[in-house]
Amino acid sequence: MEGAGASLQLQCMTPIPNRRVMMNNNNNNSNTASPNMLRMKMKMSQRSSSYSVVKCSGSGIGRGIGDFIGGDLVKLDLGRWISDVEEHKALAIYSPHEGGYEGRYLNRLIYQGYYFLDLSARGLGDPETTLINIHPVCPAHVGKQPIARWYFPPEVDYRLSLLPPNAKGLVVWIIEAKVLSKSELQFLALLPTLRPNVRVIAECGNWRKFMWKPLKEVAALTGK
């Protein structure tokens, strides 16, 4: 018991090291680094100096006019857009998912003197019946009124009759045309042949950039 008490007194009498002294000792040891630590620091400095800045632009100086104005505002294909609309008369367009790009091409057609008929493919029904024939429409009866059937004039022919004399033509812009069947797309591709003053633009899907192709190719009418 006496030996245990003596050891306990010795443990209590041992001084507790000061925290500030320990921190100073660690700093002194870090200042006097070993040769291995110096080699590692030199390698790290060489690696950091070998890194270069990655430039996203493809120009020689790393910056282009699109970096200052906006890439969506600099489009050099508007002239080709007008010429393809006049040549093929029916186009299938593919726009980015964020939207907004197709409005610039639409405005260019407005500047050329075209008027527009905007329709959605969802709920359009039979395109041939709705666009160039007198077609019936059944209004909602809500379970109380008798079921009625109203007849409307052809959408395209009615709009053509209202065009001013200086109009260049009528553009039928079909939204969400990707839900249409191949036979319905074939009719839209042939609509400018039936109505020479009509041009057809069908939104058939999405792509990373705004692009278009003749609607006859999409509807498998090439060579016919």
Side-chain angles (χ1 to χ4, degrees):
M1 294 295 293
E2 294 180 357
S7 61
L8 182 60
Q9 291 179 0
L10 289 175
Q11 290 180 2
C12 294
M13 292 174 63
T14 53
I16 300 174
N18 193 354
R19 185 177 181 84
R20 293 182 180 178
V21 175
M22 293 178 63
M23 293 178 63
N24 293 331
N25 293 333
N26 292 332
N27 293 333
N28 295 331
N29 294 332
S30 63
N31 293 332
T32 58
S34 62
N36 294 331
M37 294 294 295
L38 293 176
R39 293 193 194 98
M40 292 179 62
K41 289 182 178 180
M42 291 176 63
K43 289 181 180 180
M44 292 296 295
S45 61
Q46 291 176 358
R47 290 180 181 177
S48 60
S49 61
S50 62
Y51 294 153
S52 59
V53 179
V54 178
K55 299 178 180 180
C56 298
S57 180
S59 59
I61 61 176
R63 292 184 299 271
I65 189 172
D67 298 327
F68 300 98
I69 300 178
D72 59 327
L73 299 179
V74 183
K75 293 295 182 182
L76 303 178
D77 56 353
L78 290 176
R80 184 168 61 89
W81 162 257
I82 297 297
S83 62
D84 287 348
V85 170
E86 295 294 341
E87 179 183 356
H88 301 289
K89 298 179 174 58
L91 296 178
I93 65 173
Y94 301 85
S95 59
H97 288 275
E98 59 268 21
Y101 292 87
E102 58 272 16
R104 185 164 293 106
Y105 298 87
L106 184 148
N107 290 334
R108 188 51 60 102
L109 293 177
I110 293 177
Y111 297 155
Q112 297 295 320
Y114 283 101
Y115 285 74
F116 280 77
L117 173 60
D118 297 327
L119 296 173
S120 177
R122 300 183 185 273
L124 181 62
D126 182 18
E128 181 178 0
T129 303
T130 304
L131 298 179
I132 62 173
N133 293 324
I134 298 176
H135 54 282
V137 175
C138 295
H141 55 83
V142 201
K144 298 180 180 179
Q145 293 82 13
I147 299 176
R149 177 176 293 181
W150 298 346
Y151 289 87
F152 286 81
E155 294 290 343
V156 170
D157 295 339
Y158 177 70
R159 299 301 179 96
L160 286 175
S161 64
L162 298 178
L163 290 180
N166 59 348
K168 193 171 184 178
L170 178 68
V171 175
V172 180
W173 195 288
I174 305 294
I175 305 172
E176 297 179 330
K178 58 186 177 182
V179 302
L180 297 177
S181 63
K182 183 177 292 186
S183 61
E184 293 171 340
L185 291 176
Q186 289 176 355
F187 169 76
L188 293 177
L190 296 175
L191 181 59
T193 305
L194 303 175
R195 302 292 188 271
N197 292 332
V198 173
R199 304 290 182 264
V200 177
I201 306 296
E203 297 184 9
C204 293
N206 300 99
W207 193 241
R208 298 172 183 172
K209 63 178 183 179
F210 190 89
M211 61 172 293
W212 64 86
K213 60 177 62 177
L215 189 56
K216 289 184 178 181
E217 294 183 6
V218 179
L221 282 176
T222 56
K224 295 184 181 181

